[in-house]
Coordinates of all heavy atoms in Angstrom, one line a residue:
K5 N 103.7 194.2 93.5 CA 103.0 195.4 93.1 C 103.9 196.4 92.3 O 103.3 197.1 91.4 CB 102.5 196.2 94.3 CG 101.4 195.5 95.0 CD 100.7 196.4 96.0 CE 99.4 195.7 96.4 NZ 98.4 196.6 96.8
V6 N 105.1 196.4 92.5 CA 106.0 197.3 91.8 C 106.0 196.9 90.3 O 105.9 197.8 89.4 CB 107.4 197.3 92.3 CG1 108.4 198.1 91.4 CG2 107.4 197.9 93.7
F7 N 106.1 195.6 90.0 CA 106.1 195.1 88.7 C 104.8 195.4 88.0 O 104.8 195.7 86.8 CB 106.5 193.6 88.6 CG 107.9 193.4 89.0 CD1 108.2 192.7 90.2 CD2 109.0 193.9 88.2 CE1 109.5 192.5 90.6 CE2 110.3 193.6 88.6 CZ 110.6 192.9 89.8
E8 N 103.7 195.3 88.7 CA 102.4 195.5 88.1 C 102.3 197.0 87.7 O 101.8 197.3 86.7 CB 101.3 195.2 89.2 CG 99.9 195.3 88.7 CD 98.9 194.8 89.7 OE1 99.1 193.7 90.3 OE2 98.0 195.6 90.0
Y9 N 102.8 197.9 88.6 CA 102.8 199.3 88.3 C 103.6 199.6 87.0 O 103.2 200.4 86.1 CB 103.3 200.1 89.4 CG 103.5 201.6 89.1 CD1 102.3 202.4 89.1 CD2 104.7 202.2 88.8 CE1 102.4 203.8 88.7 CE2 104.8 203.5 88.5 CZ 103.7 204.3 88.5 OH 103.8 205.6 88.1
I10 N 104.8 199.0 86.9 CA 105.7 199.2 85.8 C 105.0 198.7 84.5 O 105.0 199.4 83.5 CB 107.0 198.4 85.9 CG1 107.8 199.1 87.1 CG2 107.8 198.4 84.6 CD1 109.0 198.3 87.5
G11 N 104.3 197.6 84.6 CA 103.5 197.1 83.4 C 102.4 198.1 83.0 O 102.2 198.3 81.8
Q12 N 101.7 198.7 84.0 CA 100.7 199.6 83.7 C 101.2 200.9 83.1 O 100.6 201.5 82.2 CB 99.9 200.0 85.0 CG 99.0 198.9 85.5 CD 98.4 199.2 86.9 OE1 98.8 200.1 87.5 NE2 97.5 198.3 87.3
E13 N 102.4 201.3 83.6 CA 103.0 202.5 83.0 C 103.4 202.3 81.6 O 103.3 203.2 80.7 CB 104.2 202.9 83.9 CG 104.9 204.2 83.5 CD 106.0 204.6 84.4 OE1 105.9 204.5 85.6 OE2 107.0 205.0 83.8
Q14 N 103.9 201.1 81.3 CA 104.4 200.8 79.9 C 103.1 200.7 79.0 O 103.2 201.3 77.9 CB 105.1 199.5 79.9 CG 105.8 199.2 78.6 CD 106.8 198.1 78.7 OE1 106.5 197.1 79.4 NE2 107.8 198.1 77.9
T15 N 102.0 200.2 79.5 CA 100.8 200.1 78.7 C 100.4 201.5 78.4 O 100.0 201.9 77.2 CB 99.7 199.3 79.4 OG1 100.2 198.0 79.5 CG2 98.4 199.3 78.5
S16 N 100.4 202.4 79.3 CA 100.0 203.8 79.2 C 100.9 204.5 78.1 O 100.4 205.2 77.2 CB 100.2 204.5 80.5 OG 99.8 205.9 80.3
Q17 N 102.2 204.2 78.1 CA 103.1 204.7 77.1 C 102.7 204.2 75.7 O 102.8 205.0 74.7 CB 104.5 204.4 77.4 CG 105.1 205.1 78.6 CD 106.4 204.6 79.1 OE1 107.0 203.7 78.5 NE2 107.0 205.3 80.1
H18 N 102.4 202.9 75.6 CA 102.0 202.3 74.3 C 100.7 202.9 73.8 O 100.5 203.2 72.6 CB 101.9 200.8 74.5 CG 103.2 200.2 74.7 ND1 103.4 199.1 75.4 CD2 104.5 200.5 74.2 CE1 104.6 198.7 75.4 NE2 105.3 199.5 74.7
V19 N 99.7 203.2 74.7 CA 98.5 203.8 74.3 C 98.8 205.2 73.8 O 98.2 205.5 72.7 CB 97.5 203.9 75.5 CG1 96.3 204.8 75.2 CG2 97.0 202.5 75.9
H20 N 99.6 205.9 74.5 CA 99.9 207.3 74.0 C 100.6 207.2 72.6 O 100.2 208.0 71.7 CB 100.9 207.9 75.0 CG 101.3 209.3 74.6 ND1 100.4 210.4 74.7 CD2 102.4 209.8 74.1 CE1 101.0 211.5 74.3 NE2 102.2 211.2 73.9
A21 N 101.5 206.3 72.4 CA 102.2 206.1 71.1 C 101.2 205.8 70.0 O 101.3 206.5 68.9 CB 103.3 205.1 71.2
L22 N 100.3 204.9 70.2 CA 99.4 204.5 69.1 C 98.4 205.6 68.9 O 97.9 205.8 67.8 CB 98.8 203.1 69.3 CG 97.8 202.8 70.3 CD1 96.4 203.2 69.8 CD2 97.8 201.4 70.7
M23 N 98.0 206.3 69.9 CA 97.0 207.4 69.8 C 97.6 208.5 68.9 O 96.8 209.2 68.3 CB 96.6 207.9 71.1 CG 95.6 207.0 71.9 SD 94.1 206.6 71.0 CE 93.4 208.2 70.8
E24 N 98.9 208.7 68.9 CA 99.5 209.7 68.1 C 99.2 209.4 66.6 O 98.8 210.3 65.8 CB 101.0 209.8 68.3 CG 101.4 210.4 69.6 CD 100.9 211.8 69.8 OE1 101.1 212.6 68.9 OE2 100.4 212.1 70.9
F25 N 99.3 208.1 66.2 CA 99.0 207.7 64.8 C 97.5 207.9 64.6 O 97.1 208.4 63.5 CB 99.4 206.3 64.6 CG 100.9 206.1 64.6 CD1 101.5 205.3 65.5 CD2 101.7 206.8 63.7 CE1 102.9 205.1 65.5 CE2 103.1 206.7 63.7 CZ 103.7 205.8 64.6
V26 N 96.6 207.4 65.5 CA 95.2 207.4 65.3 C 94.7 208.8 65.2 O 93.8 209.2 64.4 CB 94.4 206.6 66.3 CG1 92.9 206.7 66.1 CG2 94.9 205.1 66.4
R27 N 95.3 209.7 66.0 CA 94.9 211.1 66.0 C 95.2 211.7 64.6 O 94.4 212.5 64.1 CB 95.6 211.8 67.1 CG 95.1 213.2 67.4 CD 95.8 213.9 68.6 NE 95.3 213.3 69.8 CZ 96.0 212.6 70.7 NH1 97.3 212.3 70.4 NH2 95.4 212.2 71.8
V28 N 96.3 211.4 64.0 CA 96.7 212.0 62.7 C 95.8 211.4 61.6 O 95.3 212.2 60.8 CB 98.2 211.7 62.4 CG1 98.5 212.0 61.0 CG2 99.0 212.5 63.4
Y29 N 95.6 210.1 61.6 CA 94.9 209.4 60.5 C 93.4 209.5 60.7 O 92.7 209.4 59.7 CB 95.3 208.0 60.4 CG 96.7 207.8 59.8 CD1 97.8 207.7 60.7 CD2 96.8 207.6 58.5 CE1 99.1 207.5 60.1 CE2 98.1 207.4 57.9 CZ 99.2 207.4 58.8 OH 100.5 207.2 58.2
K30 N 92.9 209.7 61.9 CA 91.4 209.7 62.2 C 90.8 208.3 62.1 O 90.0 207.9 62.9 CB 90.6 210.8 61.4 CG 91.2 212.2 61.5 CD 91.0 212.7 62.9 CE 91.5 214.2 62.9 NZ 92.0 214.6 64.2
R31 N 91.1 207.6 61.0 CA 90.6 206.3 60.7 C 91.8 205.5 60.2 O 92.5 206.0 59.3 CB 89.5 206.2 59.7 CG 88.3 207.1 60.1 CD 87.4 207.2 58.9 NE 86.7 206.0 58.7 CZ 85.5 205.9 58.0 NH1 85.0 207.0 57.5 NH2 84.9 204.8 57.9
I32 N 92.1 204.4 60.8 CA 93.3 203.6 60.3 C 93.0 202.1 60.5 O 92.5 201.7 61.5 CB 94.5 204.0 61.1 CG1 95.8 203.3 60.5 CG2 94.4 203.8 62.6 CD1 97.1 203.9 61.0
E33 N 93.3 201.3 59.4 CA 93.1 199.9 59.5 C 94.1 199.3 60.5 O 95.2 199.8 60.7 CB 93.4 199.3 58.2 CG 92.3 199.5 57.1 CD 92.5 198.7 55.9 OE1 92.7 197.5 56.0 OE2 92.4 199.3 54.8
R34 N 93.6 198.2 61.2 CA 94.4 197.6 62.2 C 95.8 197.2 61.7 O 96.8 197.4 62.4 CB 93.7 196.3 62.7 CG 94.4 195.6 63.8 CD 93.6 194.4 64.3 NE 94.4 193.6 65.2 CZ 94.5 193.8 66.5 NH1 93.8 194.8 67.1 NH2 95.2 193.0 67.3
K35 N 95.9 196.6 60.5 CA 97.2 196.2 59.9 C 98.1 197.4 59.7 O 99.3 197.2 60.0 CB 96.9 195.5 58.6 CG 96.3 194.1 58.7 CD 96.2 193.5 57.3 CE 95.1 194.1 56.5 NZ 94.8 193.4 55.3
Q36 N 97.6 198.5 59.3 CA 98.4 199.6 59.1 C 98.9 200.2 60.4 O 100.1 200.6 60.5 CB 97.7 200.7 58.3 CG 98.5 201.9 57.9 CD 97.7 203.0 57.2 OE1 96.5 202.9 57.0 NE2 98.4 204.0 56.8
L37 N 98.0 200.3 61.4 CA 98.4 200.8 62.7 C 99.5 199.8 63.3 O 100.5 200.3 63.9 CB 97.2 200.9 63.6 CG 97.5 201.5 65.0 CD1 98.1 202.9 64.9 CD2 96.2 201.5 65.9
W38 N 99.3 198.5 63.2 CA 100.3 197.6 63.7 C 101.7 197.8 63.0 O 102.7 197.8 63.7 CB 99.8 196.2 63.5 CG 100.9 195.1 63.7 CD1 101.4 194.2 62.8 CD2 101.7 194.9 64.9 NE1 102.4 193.5 63.4 CE2 102.6 193.9 64.6 CE3 101.8 195.6 66.1 CZ2 103.5 193.4 65.6 CZ3 102.7 195.1 67.1 CH2 103.6 194.1 66.8
R39 N 101.7 198.0 61.7 CA 102.9 198.3 61.0 C 103.7 199.5 61.5 O 104.9 199.5 61.6 CB 102.7 198.4 59.5 CG 102.4 197.2 58.8 CD 102.3 197.4 57.3 NE 101.6 196.2 56.7 CZ 100.4 196.3 56.0 NH1 99.9 197.5 55.9 NH2 99.9 195.3 55.6
L40 N 102.9 200.5 61.9 CA 103.5 201.7 62.4 C 104.0 201.5 63.9 O 105.0 202.2 64.3 CB 102.5 202.9 62.4 CG 102.0 203.3 61.0 CD1 100.8 204.3 61.1 CD2 103.2 204.0 60.3
C41 N 103.4 200.7 64.6 CA 103.7 200.5 66.0 C 104.7 199.4 66.3 O 105.3 199.3 67.4 CB 102.4 200.2 66.8 SG 101.3 201.6 66.9
M42 N 104.8 198.5 65.4 CA 105.6 197.2 65.7 C 107.1 197.4 66.0 O 107.7 196.6 66.6 CB 105.4 196.2 64.5 CG 106.0 196.7 63.2 SD 105.6 195.6 61.8 CE 106.6 194.2 62.2
R43 N 107.6 198.6 65.7 CA 109.0 198.8 66.0 C 109.2 199.1 67.5 O 110.3 199.0 68.0 CB 109.6 200.0 65.2 CG 109.7 199.7 63.7 CD 110.3 200.9 63.0 NE 110.2 200.6 61.5 CZ 109.5 201.3 60.7 NH1 108.8 202.4 61.1 NH2 109.4 201.0 59.4
N44 N 108.1 199.6 68.1 CA 108.2 200.0 69.5 C 107.5 199.1 70.5 O 107.6 199.4 71.7 CB 107.5 201.4 69.6 CG 108.2 202.4 68.7 OD1 109.4 202.4 68.6 ND2 107.5 203.2 68.0
M45 N 106.8 198.1 70.0 CA 106.0 197.2 71.0 C 105.8 195.9 70.3 O 105.8 195.7 69.1 CB 104.7 197.9 71.4 CG 103.7 198.1 70.3 SD 102.2 199.1 70.9 CE 102.8 200.7 70.7
S46 N 105.6 194.9 71.2 CA 105.3 193.5 70.7 C 103.8 193.5 70.3 O 103.0 194.4 70.6 CB 105.6 192.5 71.8 OG 104.6 192.7 72.9
M47 N 103.4 192.4 69.7 CA 102.0 192.2 69.3 C 101.1 192.2 70.5 O 100.0 192.7 70.5 CB 101.8 190.9 68.5 CG 100.4 190.7 68.1 SD 99.6 192.1 67.2 CE 99.5 191.4 65.5
Q48 N 101.6 191.5 71.6 CA 100.8 191.5 72.8 C 100.6 192.9 73.4 O 99.5 193.2 73.9 CB 101.5 190.6 73.9 CG 100.7 190.5 75.2 CD 101.3 189.5 76.2 OE1 102.2 188.8 75.9 NE2 100.9 189.6 77.4
E49 N 101.7 193.7 73.4 CA 101.6 195.0 74.0 C 100.7 195.9 73.1 O 99.9 196.7 73.6 CB 103.0 195.6 74.0 CG 103.9 195.0 75.1 CD 105.3 195.4 74.9 OE1 105.8 195.7 73.8 OE2 106.0 195.4 76.0
F50 N 100.7 195.7 71.8 CA 99.8 196.4 70.9 C 98.4 196.0 71.2 O 97.5 196.9 71.2 CB 100.2 196.0 69.4 CG 99.3 196.6 68.4 CD1 99.4 197.9 68.0 CD2 98.3 195.8 67.8 CE1 98.5 198.4 67.0 CE2 97.5 196.3 66.8 CZ 97.6 197.6 66.4
T51 N 98.1 194.8 71.4 CA 96.7 194.3 71.7 C 96.3 194.9 73.0 O 95.2 195.4 73.1 CB 96.7 192.8 71.7 OG1 97.1 192.3 70.4 CG2 95.3 192.3 72.0
E52 N 97.1 194.9 74.0 CA 96.8 195.5 75.3 C 96.5 197.0 75.2 O 95.6 197.5 75.8 CB 97.9 195.2 76.3 CG 98.0 193.8 76.7 CD 99.3 193.5 77.6 OE1 100.1 194.4 77.8 OE2 99.4 192.3 78.0
A53 N 97.4 197.7 74.4 CA 97.2 199.1 74.2 C 95.9 199.5 73.5 O 95.2 200.4 73.9 CB 98.4 199.7 73.5
T54 N 95.7 198.7 72.4 CA 94.4 199.0 71.7 C 93.2 198.7 72.5 O 92.2 199.5 72.5 CB 94.4 198.3 70.3 OG1 94.6 196.9 70.5 CG2 95.4 198.8 69.3
N55 N 93.2 197.6 73.2 CA 92.1 197.3 74.1 C 91.9 198.4 75.2 O 90.8 198.7 75.5 CB 92.3 195.9 74.8 CG 92.1 194.8 73.8 OD1 91.5 194.9 72.7 ND2 92.6 193.6 74.1
A56 N 93.0 198.9 75.7 CA 92.9 199.9 76.8 C 92.3 201.2 76.2 O 91.5 201.8 76.8 CB 94.3 200.2 77.4
A57 N 92.7 201.5 75.0 CA 92.2 202.7 74.3 C 90.7 202.6 74.0 O 90.0 203.5 74.1 CB 93.0 203.0 73.0
I58 N 90.3 201.4 73.6 CA 88.9 201.1 73.3 C 88.1 201.2 74.6 O 87.0 201.8 74.6 CB 88.7 199.7 72.6 CG1 89.3 199.8 71.2 CG2 87.2 199.3 72.6 CD1 89.4 198.4 70.6
T59 N 88.6 200.6 75.7 CA 87.9 200.6 77.0 C 87.8 202.1 77.5 O 86.8 202.4 78.0 CB 88.7 199.8 78.0 OG1 88.7 198.4 77.5 CG2 88.0 199.8 79.3
A60 N 88.8 202.9 77.2 CA 88.8 204.3 77.7 C 88.0 205.2 76.7 O 87.8 206.4 76.9 CB 90.2 204.9 77.8
E61 N 87.4 204.5 75.6 CA 86.6 205.2 74.6 C 87.4 206.3 73.9 O 86.9 207.3 73.4 CB 85.3 205.8 75.2 CG 84.4 204.7 75.7 CD 83.2 205.2 76.4 OE1 83.0 206.5 76.5 OE2 82.3 204.4 76.8
M62 N 88.7 206.1 73.8 CA 89.6 207.0 73.0 C 89.5 206.7 71.5 O 89.7 207.6 70.7 CB 91.0 207.0 73.5 CG 91.2 207.4 74.9 SD 92.8 207.1 75.6 CE 93.7 208.4 74.8
I63 N 89.3 205.4 71.2 CA 89.1 204.9 69.9 C 87.9 204.0 69.8 O 87.5 203.4 70.9 CB 90.4 204.3 69.3 CG1 90.8 203.0 70.1 CG2 91.5 205.2 69.1 CD1 91.9 202.2 69.6
T64 N 87.4 203.8 68.6 CA 86.4 202.7 68.5 C 86.9 201.8 67.4 O 87.7 202.1 66.5 CB 85.0 203.3 68.0 OG1 85.2 204.1 66.8 CG2 84.4 204.2 69.1
L65 N 86.4 200.5 67.5 CA 86.7 199.5 66.6 C 85.6 199.3 65.6 O 84.4 199.1 66.1 CB 87.1 198.2 67.3 CG 87.5 197.0 66.5 CD1 88.9 197.2 65.9 CD2 87.6 195.8 67.4
S66 N 85.8 199.3 64.3 CA 84.7 199.2 63.3 C 85.1 198.1 62.3 O 86.2 198.1 61.8 CB 84.5 200.5 62.6 OG 84.2 201.5 63.5
Q67 N 84.1 197.3 61.9 CA 84.3 196.3 60.9 C 84.2 197.1 59.5 O 83.4 197.9 59.3 CB 83.2 195.3 60.9 CG 83.3 194.3 62.0 CD 84.4 193.3 61.8 OE1 85.1 193.0 62.7 NE2 84.7 192.8 60.6
I68 N 85.2 196.7 58.7 CA 85.2 197.2 57.3 C 85.4 196.0 56.4 O 85.9 195.0 56.8 CB 86.3 198.3 57.1 CG1 87.7 197.7 57.4 CG2 86.0 199.6 57.9 CD1 88.8 198.6 57.0
P69 N 85.1 196.2 55.1 CA 85.4 195.1 54.2 C 86.9 194.7 54.2 O 87.7 195.6 54.1 CB 85.0 195.6 52.8 CG 84.0 196.7 53.1 CD 84.4 197.3 54.4
G70 N 87.2 193.5 54.5 CA 88.6 193.0 54.5 C 89.3 193.2 55.9 O 90.5 193.0 56.0
G71 N 88.6 193.6 56.9 CA 89.2 193.7 58.2 C 88.5 194.6 59.2 O 87.3 194.8 59.1
V72 N 89.3 195.2 60.0 CA 88.8 196.2 61.0 C 89.6 197.5 61.0 O 90.8 197.5 60.5 CB 88.8 195.6 62.4 CG1 87.9 194.4 62.6 CG2 90.2 195.2 62.9
E73 N 89.0 198.5 61.4 CA 89.8 199.8 61.6 C 89.5 200.4 62.9 O 88.4 200.2 63.5 CB 89.4 200.7 60.4 CG 88.1 201.4 60.5 CD 87.8 202.4 59.4 OE1 88.6 202.5 58.4 OE2 86.8 203.1 59.4
Y74 N 90.4 201.2 63.3 CA 90.2 202.0 64.5 C 89.9 203.4 64.1 O 90.4 204.0 63.1 CB 91.5 202.1 65.4 CG 91.9 200.7 65.8 CD1 93.0 200.0 65.3 CD2 91.2 200.1 66.9 CE1 93.3 198.8 65.7 CE2 91.6 198.8 67.3 CZ 92.6 198.2 66.7 OH 93.0 196.9 67.1
R75 N 88.9 204.0 64.8 CA 88.5 205.4 64.6 C 88.7 206.2 65.8 O 88.4 205.8 66.9 CB 87.0 205.4 64.2 CG 86.7 204.7 62.9 CD 85.3 204.8 62.5 NE 85.1 204.0 61.3 CZ 83.9 203.8 60.8 NH1 82.8 204.3 61.3 NH2 83.8 203.0 59.7
F76 N 89.3 207.4 65.6 CA 89.6 208.3 66.7 C 88.3 208.9 67.2 O 87.4 209.4 66.5 CB 90.5 209.5 66.1 CG 90.9 210.5 67.1 CD1 91.7 210.1 68.2 CD2 90.6 211.8 67.0 CE1 92.2 211.0 69.1 CE2 91.0 212.7 67.9 CZ 91.8 212.3 68.9
N77 N 88.2 208.9 68.6 CA 87.0 209.5 69.3 C 87.5 210.8 69.9 O 88.0 210.8 71.0 CB 86.5 208.6 70.3 CG 85.3 209.1 71.0 OD1 84.9 210.2 70.8 ND2 84.7 208.2 71.8
D78 N 87.5 211.9 69.1 CA 88.0 213.2 69.5 C 87.6 213.7 70.9 O 88.4 214.1 71.7 CB 87.7 214.2 68.4 CG 88.6 215.5 68.6 OD1 89.7 215.4 69.0 OD2 88.0 216.5 68.2
R79 N 86.3 213.7 71.1 CA 85.8 214.2 72.4 C 86.3 213.4 73.6 O 86.7 214.0 74.6 CB 84.2 214.3 72.3 CG 83.7 215.5 71.7 CD 82.2 215.6 71.6 NE 81.5 215.3 72.8 CZ 80.3 214.7 72.9 NH1 79.7 214.3 71.7 NH2 79.7 214.5 74.0
R80 N 86.2 212.2 73.5 CA 86.6 211.3 74.6 C 88.1 211.3 74.9 O 88.5 211.4 76.0 CB 86.1 209.9 74.4 CG 86.4 209.0 75.6 CD 85.6 209.4 76.8 NE 86.0 208.6 77.9 CZ 86.1 208.9 79.2 NH1 85.7 210.1 79.5 NH2 86.5 208.1 80.1
A81 N 88.9 211.4 73.8 CA 90.3 211.4 73.9 C 90.8 212.6 74.7 O 91.7 212.6 75.5 CB 91.0 211.3 72.6
K82 N 90.2 213.8 74.4 CA 90.5 215.0 75.0 C 90.2 215.0 76.5 O 91.0 215.4 77.4 CB 89.8 216.2 74.4 CG 90.3 216.6 73.1 CD 89.6 217.8 72.5 CE 90.1 218.1 71.1 NZ 89.3 219.2 70.4
L83 N 89.0 214.4 76.9 CA 88.7 214.2 78.3 C 89.7 213.4 79.0 O 90.1 213.7 80.1 CB 87.3 213.7 78.4 CG 86.1 214.5 78.0 CD1 84.8 213.8 78.1 CD2 86.0 215.7 79.0
V84 N 90.0 212.2 78.4 CA 91.0 211.3 79.1 C 92.3 212.0 79.3 O 92.9 211.9 80.4 CB 91.1 210.0 78.3 CG1 92.2 209.2 78.8 CG2 89.8 209.2 78.3
E85 N 92.8 212.7 78.3 CA 94.1 213.4 78.4 C 94.0 214.5 79.5 O 95.0 214.6 80.2 CB 94.5 214.0 77.1 CG 95.0 212.9 76.1 CD 95.5 213.5 74.8 OE1 95.4 214.7 74.6 OE2 95.9 212.7 74.0
E86 N 92.9 215.2 79.6 CA 92.8 216.3 80.6 C 92.8 215.7 82.0 O 93.4 216.2 82.9 CB 91.5 217.1 80.4 CG 91.6 218.0 79.2 CD 90.3 218.6 78.8 OE1 89.3 218.4 79.6 OE2 90.2 219.3 77.8
E87 N 92.2 214.5 82.1 CA 92.1 213.8 83.4 C 93.5 213.3 83.8 O 93.9 213.4 85.0 CB 91.2 212.6 83.4 CG 89.7 213.1 83.3 CD 88.8 211.9 83.1 OE1 89.3 210.7 83.0 OE2 87.6 212.1 83.0
A88 N 94.3 212.9 82.8 CA 95.6 212.3 83.1 C 96.6 213.5 83.5 O 97.4 213.3 84.4 CB 96.2 211.6 81.9
V89 N 96.4 214.6 82.9 CA 97.3 215.8 83.2 C 97.0 216.3 84.6 O 97.8 216.7 85.3 CB 97.2 216.9 82.1 CG1 97.9 218.1 82.5 CG2 97.7 216.4 80.8
G90 N 95.7 216.3 84.9 CA 95.3 216.7 86.3 C 94.7 218.0 86.3 O 94.5 218.8 87.0

């Protein structure tokens, strides 16, 4: 259980890190976001963090010509952050 908690905490940190980029850009292609995040996390961790952010409705995934992009969900992201702070 301790290792499971550590993994969850790390995923949370990765979500927070990638959300900083998405918050600034508002819309960002997956490739560009990966380039920004790859120094701090592996591809698997990036995938887990983006999936977690999508599940929490902090970002949405949209098809665009030539790939996909993430879009910032301002209202939902604020709610999630407020809940985390307590």
